[in-house]
Amino acid sequence: MDNKENQTAWQKLRPTKRRLVQLYAALLYNAHLRGFLDGTIYTGHAKAACVPGFNCYSCPAAAGACPLGALQNALAASGSRTGFYVFGILMLYGLMLGRTICGWLCPFGLIQELLHRIPTPKIPKNRITRVLSYLKYIILAVFAGAVPLWYGLKYHMAVPGFCKYICPAGTLEGAMGLLSHPHNADYFRMLGILFIRKFIIMLLIGLVCIFCYRSFCRFLCPLGAVYSLFSKIALVGVKKDVSRCNECGACVRSCGMDVRRAGDHECIHCGKCMDVCSQKALSFRAGKVTLISPDGGCADNQPDAETKRQKYKKTAWGIALAVLAFALVWFNFLDPSLKTTSTPAADPPAQSENTGEAAAGFEVGSVLPDFEITCTDGSVFRLSEQRGRIVVINLWATWCGPCVQELPHFDAFYAAHQEDAAVIAVHSPFVTDDVGAFLSDKGYTMPFAVDSEEQNIVWPVVGGNTTLPQTIILDRNGIVVYNQRGSVTPELLESLYEQAAK
């Protein structure tokens, strides 16, 4: 093989600039790589920030929130607060980048493109795919809009409809990422028909993506639907030089998306159309600044324009790599929240008070170490003062739909057994709502407390982590008889009470 053949092979294999940016974005969004080693998700302060692309919040490596999930939670909480931040950040991303995010900065878009590269017969775009491209707007309105808004206003429950019933990224990155860790083996008992359906949906979407280019992005993605609304006014994207264009349509024919013209609401601004435009009428711009020009140059090019662009690109890549290096170091080693969020649930805390021969710990058969926490009503709950009573500890959060749904079960149990049992519901240290305001109109009589993000009082003692809800039940001697994640029913609570009372 001569040098020319070698060069041609390398040119076919080497990643394009866009592919490098996609890989960079995926790694930056998921900079908390130690999450895969710990089997937990990151819950530090940075997690409140939304990344631009479609990336699951529950992925063990995710360092930021998914804007679509944040949008649904904001709608669910609209009865008590307005999600100005979420709507503002989506508008900012849309105005600045639009669907350029889909083409360059979306990890799930990258996964779809890699699947499509598997050698198989491909389904070309046609009238049917063009009609199906409008399905994502219906999904946006129903599953990402109406469902969370309805449950939030009527039932005060956070039900992110798209994340709960459809999202393939949540199944792949979140559920499977956590289930793959041996410390999370007990999660399998929590899986039900909902997970099976979502797993099948994920497999079907992945299979279709092999034969049909970016099927999820084109037909189903609500986030792409949101960003498409800004297609006419987004600052960055593929722009056409009208004076050069002869309307030959080569750009539309070569595009894998269901576009009617370059840069419209279906365009993800990948830039492939620039390579087939014989008139060199297309370029990738940020306002009036040309970021990527066609081989023949742009109409407004100055003699040294390409030289300047190359210089700016090198500077931009240098800054980007420095940001990535800092993010990897921060999210894996320096972030103060790591000392609490990365503790595997299987590692018991230090031994404390002991009864008989039982060891201190949170496993069944162990004596739960003492803790003291201030409740929302100002009272103090001290575990050591509950000896002689059955103790029920519920870990929950306002943003956890199953948690909110089962709170009435615990309150009813408390009302029926408060003479013989102590019940406390402890909110996660990761707080996004005013817990007191959230509970104010519920009429619950059992004690509530919010764990401290700085001290993390209850979570390490009971073996809690980021998967909620979790229920811990102690017998009269403080010995753990039940410690499981997942929802409970009133019948199960009564059964566990009888077991602990023996």
Side-chain angles (χ1 to χ4, degrees):
M1 183 178 289
D2 57 27
N3 291 336
K4 185 177 181 180
E5 289 176 333
N6 283 330
Q7 185 179 10
T8 302
W10 164 242
Q11 288 176 341
K12 290 181 179 179
L13 293 174
R14 70 179 181 182
T16 62
K17 293 184 180 70
R18 186 172 73 93
R19 185 71 78 230
L20 290 174
V21 174
Q22 287 177 302
L23 291 169
Y24 173 88
L27 184 55
L28 184 63
Y29 297 171
N30 298 286
H32 180 60
L33 297 178
R34 67 180 292 172
F36 289 114
L37 300 176
D38 298 331
T40 61
I41 66 174
Y42 172 74
T43 56
H45 291 296
K47 200 60 174 283
C50 294
V51 300
F54 193 71
N55 192 71
C56 183
Y57 176 99
S58 296
C59 175
C66 173
L68 186 63
L71 172 64
Q72 294 171 86
N73 285 328
L75 290 172
S78 58
S80 56
R81 60 183 173 88
T82 305
F84 291 114
Y85 162 73
V86 176
F87 294 111
I89 199 68
L90 280 171
M91 287 188 64
L92 177 63
Y93 288 152
L95 291 170
M96 293 293 293
L97 300 170
R99 292 205 74 181
T100 300
I101 295 170
C102 304
W104 293 74
L105 302 176
C106 181
F108 203 70
L110 171 61
I111 293 173
Q112 294 176 75
E113 291 184 11
L114 295 178
L115 287 172
H116 191 67
R117 296 191 65 174
I118 297 174
T120 58
K122 306 301 179 183
I123 300 174
K125 62 181 181 181
N126 50 61
R127 292 181 179 178
I128 295 176
T129 62
R130 182 164 291 174
V131 172
L132 288 176
S133 68
Y134 290 94
L135 179 61
K136 59 181 172 286
Y137 298 97
I138 299 175
I139 292 176
L140 170 65
V142 176
F143 288 95
V147 171
L149 191 61
W150 167 262
Y151 277 95
L153 293 176
K154 187 172 180 64
Y155 300 107
H156 302 285
M157 290 175 57
V159 179
F162 181 80
C163 296
K164 182 174 181 178
Y165 299 112
I166 299 176
C167 183
T171 307
L172 177 65
E173 300 173 14
M176 297 184 66
L178 290 170
L179 290 170
S180 63
H181 198 283
H183 283 153
N184 298 328
D186 61 334
Y187 289 7
F188 284 95
R189 64 175 292 276
M190 299 169 58
L191 304 180
I193 187 63
L194 183 61
F195 173 80
I196 295 173
R197 289 172 182 167
K198 285 192 63 180
F199 187 77
I200 293 173
I201 289 173
M202 180 196 71
L203 292 180
L204 289 176
I205 289 174
L207 181 63
V208 175
C209 285
I210 295 175
F211 301 97
C212 187
Y213 182 72
R214 291 187 73 138
S215 303
F216 175 78
C217 184
R218 290 162 67 185
F219 310 136
L220 302 175
C221 182
L223 188 59
V226 172
Y227 290 144
S228 72
L229 302 177
F230 299 88
S231 60
K232 292 185 178 180
I233 54 177
L235 180 67
V236 177
V238 172
K239 309 295 181 181
K240 181 170 69 173
D241 183 348
V242 179
S243 65
R244 285 190 172 194
C245 179
N246 63 359
E247 303 295 341
C248 68
C251 53
V252 175
R253 291 192 299 273
S254 66
C255 181
M257 304 295 287
D258 297 281
V259 299
R260 295 181 181 272
R261 62 183 182 279
D264 70 4
H265 66 281
E266 291 298 325
C267 177
I268 59 174
H269 304 278
C270 64
K272 291 180 181 178
C273 53
M274 292 166 51
D275 299 328
V276 300
C277 181
S278 60
Q279 304 300 308
K280 308 303 178 184
L282 299 172
S283 57
F284 195 80
R285 294 171 174 261
K288 295 182 178 180
V289 178
T290 301
L291 301 176
I292 303 175
S293 64
D295 293 337
C298 302
D300 60 349
N301 264 355
Q302 300 299 319
D304 60 344
E306 188 58 32
T307 302
K308 289 182 177 180
R309 272 196 290 273
Q310 293 300 325
K311 179 181 178 180
Y312 293 150
K313 287 177 185 176
K314 292 179 180 178
T315 302
W317 271 111
I319 295 173
L321 291 175
V323 170
L324 178 61
F326 174 79
L328 290 172
V329 173
W330 175 262
F331 288 111
N332 291 284
F333 303 104
L334 302 181
D335 192 329
S337 67
L338 296 177
K339 66 178 182 292
T340 57
T341 60
S342 298
T343 303
D347 295 338
Q351 292 193 3
S352 179
E353 185 178 353
N354 207 340
T355 298
E357 297 181 356
F362 51 72
E363 299 88 352
V364 172
S366 303
V367 175
L368 195 70
D370 190 23
F371 66 83
E372 178 183 307
I373 190 168
T374 302
C375 299
T376 55
D377 61 2
S379 62
V380 175
F381 184 96
R382 186 176 293 106
L383 183 61
S384 59
E385 295 179 351
Q386 310 303 325
R387 289 297 169 85
R389 310 176 74 194
I390 308 300
V391 178
V392 178
I393 304 169
N394 171 239
L395 305 186
W396 74 290
T398 57
W399 37 264
C400 168
C403 299
V404 175
Q405 197 168 11
E406 71 174 7
L407 282 179
H409 304 335
F410 288 96
D411 193 61
F413 174 86
Y414 174 73
H417 300 285
Q418 57 182 314
E419 297 298 327
D420 188 44
V423 179
I424 184 169
V426 185
H427 192 283
S428 164
F430 186 60
V431 180
T432 58
D433 293 304
D434 183 334
V435 180
F438 180 87
L439 297 170
S440 61
D441 62 344
K442 303 296 188 300
Y444 296 138
T445 57
M446 65 178 178
F448 282 85
V450 179
D451 208 350
S452 168
E453 189 173 5
E454 292 75 24
Q455 299 178 12
N456 220 13
I457 298 170
V458 177
W459 246 243
V461 173
V462 300
N465 64 16
T466 52
T467 302
L468 296 172
Q470 181 175 344
T471 301
I472 305 94
I473 297 181
L474 315 179
D475 67 10
R476 301 185 194 280
N477 295 316
I479 296 177
V480 180
V481 298
Y482 182 86
N483 189 348
Q484 296 286 348
R485 300 176 184 92
S487 299
V488 298
T489 62
E491 294 77 18
L492 179 58
L493 276 177
E494 288 295 334
S495 175
L496 292 170
Y497 169 75
E498 293 175 3
Q499 177 184 339
K502 292 182 179 177

